[in-house]
Amino acid sequence: MSTANAQVKIAAPAALELKGLGKSFRLKTGGFFRPGYVELKAVRDVDLTVPKNAIVGLVGESGSGKTTTGIMALRLIEPTTGEIWLDGENITTLEAGELKRHRRKMQVVFQDSYSALDPMFTLAQIVAEPLHIHGIGSAAEQTDLALDWLERVGLHRSFGNRYPHELSGGQRQRVAIARALILQPDVLIADEPTSALDVSVKAQIINLLQDLQEDMGLSILFISHDLSVVRSLTDTVAVMFNGRIVEQAPTEAIFTDSRHPYTRSLLDAIPVLNPRHRRARTFRSRDELEADKPQIAASDLPGGPAPSEQPRLVTVAPDHRVEAVVTQ
Ligand SMILES: Nc1ncnc2c1ncn2[C@@H]1O[C@H](COP(=O)(O)OP(=O)(O)OP(=O)(O)O)[C@@H](O)[C@H]1O
Ligand SMILES: [Mg+2]
């Protein structure tokens, strides 16, 4: 195929693209007299695409690097390696002024919204603050839009005069969502937005996110431990282990045709409510799982013979990539 043809085939840019993203932290070791450092590679070589109007799940055990990946994408911390592309623009090294323009397009909701909601502000002020920061509208227009958004996330307009401490956990998440979406971003990073909530409230917040996603054509990176929520909400799933993405596939393929032992061990850990369906669980250590990289025969690859260089992630089916060793 000629280059010109290849370019014609390229679709609209993805909403968010992470390319080879990595983050190392320097940790102090030893004591005062023998200080030293070790380097912790919290995130390594993450390639992740969030298409427009899609929800991508990011799952993995505690400490696997999900939050670090999310806050790097937002440029709240600087990556050690790699690039962040937002709507087809490389934002990795943009300076503060330029970045501010792009920040409008990407917002975040965290698990613990209480700390993000200033206790001294009314909810109307909290939700309107992004408009204020970006100088959008008059004060009256900002308040009006904030009250509209409180309604849109299922709270009465009268909540505008209340304060964060007067709210339940679910109501606080609604406010955090209103505040994140009032600027009409293209991308929302949702980092465990429901994991502090009761089951019934959790379902309501998930439904709300789903409705808003459809209404606004939002692209969401949904970070979660909760695999049943991930299964019902997302289009594709990336599985993180030890700072790397080890498998990525359309959601159903992750749940019915996973190829990486770590993905399987995550799925095995989902509680099964009906005791008759309970399987014997095998708990495997991180080292065991690291040593157990899947081996895939080159002849089994859908793309025909293996490339001359071993890629880290091998494509085993359409849009399904897994960390594996290709054998000849
Ligand atoms: N500022 C920091 N300094 C040093 N180490 C850090 C820092 N932030 C994160 N880490 C380490 O990086 C690794 C990844 O952490 P991260 O918070 O991204 O994991 P996570 O997948 O979000 O976990 P969880 O599911 O518990 O939220 C962990 O080992 C963590 O201790
Ligand atoms: Mg986290």
Side-chain angles (χ1 to χ4, degrees):
M1 196 192 295
S2 76
T3 320
N5 263 341
Q7 279 173 355
V8 171
K9 287 208 155 196
I10 292 172
L16 175 67
E17 230 181 322
L18 310 179
K19 299 182 184 179
L21 208 59
K23 180 73 188 177
S24 299
F25 293 109
R26 270 181 101 201
L27 301 182
K28 257 194 177 147
T29 57
F32 181 76
F33 294 105
R34 289 173 62 196
Y37 291 94
V38 288
E39 193 180 64
L40 171 75
K41 291 190 172 171
V43 172
R44 277 182 275 181
D45 198 19
V46 163
D47 289 323
L48 187 64
T49 298
V50 184
K52 286 198 193 315
N53 198 13
I55 308 185
V56 174
L58 186 58
V59 304
E61 69 190 341
S62 190
S64 56
K66 304 179 298 296
T67 295
T68 306
T69 301
I71 59 180
M72 269 196 287
L74 290 153
R75 284 218 37 211
L76 295 176
I77 59 170
E78 296 300 326
T80 314
T81 62
E83 293 177 355
I84 303 146
W85 290 68
L86 183 60
D87 285 334
E89 253 192 278
N90 186 347
I91 65 160
T92 322
T93 53
L94 291 185
E95 301 293 335
E98 273 286 279
L99 192 58
K100 187 174 169 189
R101 193 165 57 79
H102 288 274
R103 282 247 161 86
R104 279 185 64 170
K105 298 191 199 165
M106 181 156 53
Q107 296 289 319
V108 62
V109 175
F110 289 111
Q111 168 181 348
D112 173 20
S113 59
Y114 195 56
S115 58
L117 305 183
D118 191 321
M120 307 296 284
F121 282 11
T122 65
L123 301 185
Q125 287 171 324
I126 287 170
V127 173
E129 197 188 12
L131 299 172
H132 183 67
I133 291 171
H134 289 273
I136 298 168
S138 66
E141 286 164 344
Q142 291 172 0
T143 305
D144 259 2
L145 194 57
L147 298 181
D148 289 348
W149 264 98
L150 285 176
E151 267 187 327
R152 197 158 173 192
V153 297
L155 298 172
H156 194 269
R157 291 175 89 83
S158 63
F159 273 67
N161 295 322
R162 298 198 188 180
Y163 288 88
H165 74 266
E166 299 177 61
L167 303 183
S168 68
Q171 289 170 335
R172 277 202 294 268
Q173 282 312 65
R174 289 177 192 272
V175 172
I177 291 168
R179 182 186 154 93
L181 297 185
I182 197 165
L183 291 172
Q184 305 265 5
D186 299 324
V187 178
L188 178 70
I189 298 198
D191 191 349
E192 313 262 11
T194 60
S195 44
L197 305 175
D198 293 343
V199 178
S200 62
V201 180
K202 185 186 292 194
Q204 292 167 12
I205 298 293
I206 293 298
N207 287 341
L208 173 66
L209 275 176
Q210 207 156 20
D211 290 347
L212 290 167
Q213 188 277 326
E214 279 172 20
D215 287 355
M216 302 173 70
L218 261 181
S219 306
I220 303 182
L221 179 62
F222 187 81
I223 298 173
S224 181
H225 275 113
D226 191 332
L227 293 173
S228 56
V229 169
V230 166
R231 188 170 191 173
S232 69
L233 188 67
T234 64
D235 300 297
T236 63
V237 176
V239 180
M240 270 192 108
F241 174 54
N242 265 353
R244 313 183 309 276
I245 289 178
V246 294
E247 186 161 13
Q248 192 175 358
T251 301
E252 268 318 291
I254 286 288
F255 285 89
T256 58
D257 187 25
S258 64
R259 309 290 179 91
H260 198 281
Y262 178 67
T263 309
R264 296 206 190 115
S265 84
L266 266 189
L267 297 176
D268 273 351
I270 298 178
V272 178
L273 292 180
N274 185 340
R276 287 194 197 172
H277 295 165
R278 259 180 214 157
R279 290 158 293 174
R281 281 196 210 147
T282 45
F283 289 101
R284 306 175 65 195
S285 72
R286 210 182 253 223
D287 288 346
E288 273 178 307
L289 287 164
E290 275 290 9
D292 187 17
K293 237 179 221 176
Q295 306 236 331
I296 297 175
S299 53
D300 286 345
L301 291 177
S308 52
E309 217 176 292
Q310 158 85 46
R312 197 176 69 73
L313 290 171
V314 179
T315 301
V316 292
D319 297 324
H320 190 161
R321 298 183 305 150
V322 63
E323 188 173 84
V325 178
V326 177
T327 56
Q328 296 301 326

